Amino acid sequence: MDAIGIERGADEPRLLELPRPEPAPGEALVETLRVGVDGTDHEVIAGNHGSPPDGEDHLVLGHEAVGVVETAPGTDLEAGDVVVPTVRRPPGDDPNDYFERGEADMAPPGATLERGIDGAHGFMSEYFTSPEEYLVAVPPDLASLGFLVEPMSVSEKALELAAAARSSFEWRPETALVLGNGALGLLTVAVLVDDADEVYCLGRRDRPDPTIDVIERLGATYVDSRETPVSAVPEVHEPADLVYEATGHARHAFESIEALAPGGVAALLGVPDPWTFEVDGGRLHEELVLNNKALVGSVNSGVRHFEAAVDRLRELPRWFPESFVTEVTPHRSFGPAFRRGPTNIKSVVEFARYEER
Ligand code: NAP
Ligand code: BGC
Ligand code: ZN
């Protein structure tokens, strides 16, 4: 079967020919429909994050997948079910405590592998296998958008952690500030505009730009970080009850503290490269304490976040997917899916079409 992978030391993905996987007992064989590409895939390709499985010379890419069950003997799944796989798998044969508790998303790096990212092959192949417990059912009418369930689930978890950190008092994010107009940032803006009175989204692009169009059509306000740095947002606009960092720009983790209103919380999602810089640690520490502010880091997501994400996808405005998914590429000519540029918001590699199976 065809697969798209990155070889050790290479700087661009390649089409690979691999044997079709055989499902073990308790596993499903899934025919892949679509696999999305995000900032993490670019970090993996650049060699800045993750690695191939131990002892192997390549990594099959892809962690945002949707597919259709081909066979799943001995499971509750049936041929034809539309499913989305979760990303994390236990290292070694036995599940550790995190996996046994169903909290793989809380495992630190040494206690988990990530399919398509770190130490385990991903889903960018015509077929993949997965244990039933790591597959989440998706209604067939969402099959073509099912690749958005994983990134949406990442936001579901981060917003849950942020709200949990404010659960001991009356808190509602009336004002939210999303840092980053990449795919994760825009998906999160689409979620937040339903609940917050005012949503701001920070980028560094000139108009005309399709991400700014999406931000404004969602009813949010674009903030250009070149004119208004994160720490100036309270002065130029207003302080934020919630900051959602999705730039991977390490300074934003600290500047978020200054953008928050008293009692606010910032969820950090970016995965930056090492970078040494100066901050006024005393002032930021004081700011956190005297204004009851919180910072929470959040990575990955669990089955319940995937389930919440399925519901959330249904609530997106009808126009959103068409404006947001800018590049659908057949898997044999996948090149454009990995090209970054101002006109490409979210790209997806298509292996099969649900309606044509
Ligand atoms: P992405 O497509 O690379 O988006 C990042 C966006 O931030 C880009 O649009 C970029 O603008 C913008 N940006 C970067 N630095 C900026 C700055 N200084 N000022 C204003 N805008 C800035 O990545 P993504 O897929 O949306 O993911 C966002 C981040 O979250 C990445 O670091 C990724 O690794 C991480 N992530 C984490 C998780 C998790 O579980 N924690 C899950 C998914 C992704 P330009 O495009 O104009 O350069
Ligand atoms: C993926 C997560 C993963 C994280 C860190 C994200 O892009 O969506 O599932 O845990 O990267 O590798
Ligand atoms: Zn991702």
Side-chain angles (χ1 to χ4, degrees):
M1 66 169 185
D2 295 338
I4 298 165
I6 180 89
E7 289 166 313
R8 271 187 206 278
D11 57 7
E12 56 181 43
R14 208 166 77 76
L15 195 64
L16 307 168
E17 177 62 30
L18 298 175
R20 188 199 278 204
E22 288 288 333
E27 287 191 341
L29 174 69
V30 180
E31 181 185 5
T32 310
L33 294 173
R34 289 176 155 194
V35 187
V37 175
D38 77 352
T40 303
D41 295 302
H42 289 284
E43 287 158 17
V44 170
I45 291 165
N48 296 332
H49 183 55
S51 68
D54 275 352
E56 297 199 34
D57 61 0
H58 69 277
L59 174 75
V60 175
L61 290 165
H63 61 276
E64 300 180 348
V66 58
V68 181
V69 172
E70 179 96 352
T71 64
T75 76
D76 288 339
L77 293 166
E78 285 179 18
D81 287 352
V82 180
V83 289
V84 168
T86 63
V87 175
R88 291 193 159 180
R89 299 292 180 271
D93 295 333
D94 297 322
N96 54 39
D97 291 351
Y98 295 100
F99 284 84
E100 272 172 359
R101 288 198 296 266
E103 294 177 352
D105 56 300
M106 297 306 292
T112 183
L113 305 176
E114 293 192 330
R115 291 194 65 169
I117 301 172
D118 195 15
H121 290 307
F123 307 114
M124 270 196 195
S125 48
E126 289 177 281
Y127 293 87
F128 63 86
T129 56
S130 173
E132 179 184 21
E133 70 205 87
Y134 300 124
L135 295 172
V136 177
V138 172
D141 65 308
L142 283 182
S144 66
L145 290 183
F147 68 96
L148 295 179
V149 170
E150 197 277 341
M152 189 65 108
S153 74
V154 164
S155 284
E156 292 292 334
K157 173 183 169 178
L159 296 175
E160 181 187 278
L161 279 186
R166 307 289 80 190
S167 62
S168 64
F169 62 98
E170 192 69 36
W171 179 79
R172 190 177 81 86
E174 287 171 18
T175 303
L177 168 63
V178 174
L179 308 182
N181 52 341
L184 188 60
L186 293 182
L187 268 183
T188 308
V189 171
V191 168
L192 291 174
V193 287
D194 278 347
D195 295 331
D197 301 337
E198 198 64 56
V199 179
Y200 298 91
C201 182
L202 180 114
R204 53 180 176 191
R205 305 258 187 99
D206 293 327
R207 297 168 191 267
D209 179 83
T211 69
I212 302 175
D213 293 344
V214 168
I215 292 166
E216 292 179 344
R217 198 162 172 198
L218 284 168
T221 302
Y222 174 63
V223 179
D224 187 332
S225 69
R226 297 165 299 181
E227 290 162 10
T228 310
V230 175
S231 51
V233 170
E235 211 182 298
V236 177
H237 298 283
E238 54 186 321
D241 302 305
L242 171 74
V243 172
Y244 184 100
E245 178 274 316
T247 54
H249 184 73
R251 276 189 183 278
H252 286 166
F254 301 92
E255 291 175 13
S256 291
I257 300 169
E258 297 171 284
L260 286 173
V265 55
L268 310 180
L269 285 97
V271 183
D273 296 334
W275 180 18
T276 305
F277 52 83
E278 280 189 15
V279 292
D280 184 343
R283 195 166 53 78
L284 296 177
H285 185 167
E286 184 192 61
E287 190 60 30
L288 283 166
V289 173
L290 295 186
N291 285 296
N292 288 291
K293 296 180 178 179
L295 285 182
V296 293
S298 181
V299 69
N300 195 249
S301 50
V303 168
R304 86 169 177 285
H305 307 117
F306 275 65
E307 288 166 350
V310 172
D311 295 340
R312 200 75 88 161
L313 276 186
R314 279 216 182 286
E315 291 162 18
L316 289 174
R318 289 173 80 98
W319 59 266
F320 182 84
E322 207 165 310
S323 301
F324 179 71
V325 182
T326 42
E327 189 75 62
V328 180
T329 329
H331 82 268
R332 292 218 169 137
S333 45
F334 63 83
F338 291 94
R339 253 170 245 147
R340 311 188 91 171
T343 56
N344 187 8
I345 302 179
K346 184 74 182 173
S347 46
V348 61
V349 178
E350 185 162 75
F351 286 86
R353 280 177 203 246
Y354 181 71
E355 316 73 42
E356 290 172 10
R357 298 175 60 258

